[in-house]
Amino acid sequence: MNAIEKYNARADAADSLVCVGLDSDVRKLPAALLKLDAPQLAFNRQIIDATAEYAAAFKFNMAFYEVNGADGWRQLAQSIVYLRERHPSILTIADAKRADIGNTSGAYARAIFDELGFDAVTLNPYLGRDALQPFLDYADKACIILGRTSNPGSAEIQNLKVNDQPLWQIVARKAADRWNANGNCMLVASGTNPKEMAQIRSIVGEMTLLVPGVGAQGGDIKALAKAGLNSAGRGLIINSSRGIIFADDPAEAASSLRKAVNRFR
């Protein structure tokens, strides 16, 4: 079972397309946890225990662990072990946005897939296929290419015209075709613009899309589902980070998002 098949199986078993984003910023953690030796690990365990029932994936934003140096990396690794031991069927995503020249990308790929054991990673396509290839060569892992992102400044580059097409459409086509020889590509597609989501779906066919912009960024779930679901009623990994993990009741927040999405599946 490769990573995409793993996600689909979990989505069916949990009746969920929800991804819980573990953006565990140590500055926002409860004061009581900051007294512990591993506050991020303790926080992640609490969130995993509370929300796993409703989750098809967990996404770890690498920045919030790397900023704490070796100790942050240790807590990241321990969090993944905790999740994998208790919920091995749930997809794990490293939100790392990696890519570099070949030998450097090879080292990044080994770190994320072999050392940490993630199922999937987000990748920056700006350097082209040779920078992505070391990740793409892991046929059992998922490579989630940045296509159309949800940050306000994304249009500065992503909307640049290439042969009368915005650059993000070119990236989507390459991710669905040229880069997808192993059938292990996914695409990041913003949840804040349903019209563009529909265009992406028409370009990439049945491909699974990682969708930021839901929750704290205000994406419209009904419009998103109508535009983005594939023919199997899946094809979306709908991420919410701050909207779940820093909610008063993370379990209720995750459950509510699952219900909201499933209403339109």
Side-chain angles (χ1 to χ4, degrees), residues 202-230:
S202 71
I203 291 169
V204 304
E206 297 295 291
M207 177 178 284
T208 299
L209 309 175
L210 174 62
V211 183
V214 175
Q217 296 182 57
D220 182 331
I221 293 174
K222 180 179 180 179
L224 167 65
K226 182 178 179 180
L229 289 170
N230 65 16

Side-chain angles (χ1 to χ4, degrees), residues 29-87:
L29 302 189
L33 294 184
L34 296 179
K35 300 175 183 178
L36 302 178
D37 177 59
Q40 287 178 301
L41 174 60
F43 180 76
N44 288 346
R45 285 176 170 175
Q46 290 180 3
I47 298 298
I48 290 166
D49 290 345
T51 64
E53 175 183 354
Y54 313 106
F58 280 91
K59 180 172 71 68
F60 293 77
N61 190 317
M62 301 285 277
F64 292 111
Y65 304 92
E66 292 173 349
V67 71
N68 296 321
D71 193 50
W73 184 274
R74 172 179 65 86
Q75 293 181 68
L76 169 65
Q78 291 172 338
S79 297
I80 298 165
V81 169
Y82 184 84
L83 175 56
R84 189 164 55 236
E85 287 179 346
R86 284 156 179 77
H87 305 284

Side-chain angles (χ1 to χ4, degrees), residues 138-207:
Y138 283 79
D140 61 328
K141 304 292 187 178
C143 298
I144 309 175
I145 312 299
L146 296 179
R148 189 69 172 102
T149 62
S150 59
N151 59 300
S154 61
E156 184 177 358
I157 300 297
Q158 293 168 21
N159 277 356
L160 291 176
K161 292 297 181 68
V162 180
N163 297 327
D164 294 324
Q165 299 177 72
L167 182 59
W168 61 263
Q169 291 188 9
I170 304 296
V171 170
R173 287 189 172 87
K174 288 185 180 294
D177 183 16
R178 185 163 178 259
W179 298 338
N180 201 25
N182 286 325
N184 62 341
C185 284
M186 299 184 185
L187 192 75
V188 173
S190 170
T192 60
N193 190 322
K195 181 179 178 180
E196 290 182 349
M197 175 66 73
Q199 292 175 311
I200 291 170
R201 177 55 69 203
S202 71
I203 291 169
V204 304
E206 297 295 291
M207 177 178 284

Side-chain angles (χ1 to χ4, degrees), residues 111-148:
I112 289 169
F113 291 148
D114 295 335
E115 180 66 24
L116 290 171
F118 277 105
D119 297 313
V121 63
T122 56
L123 299 172
N124 188 333
Y126 191 74
L127 275 73
R129 179 171 180 164
D130 62 328
L132 303 176
Q133 196 63 53
F135 298 92
L136 296 171
D137 286 342
Y138 283 79
D140 61 328
K141 304 292 187 178
C143 298
I144 309 175
I145 312 299
L146 296 179
R148 189 69 172 102

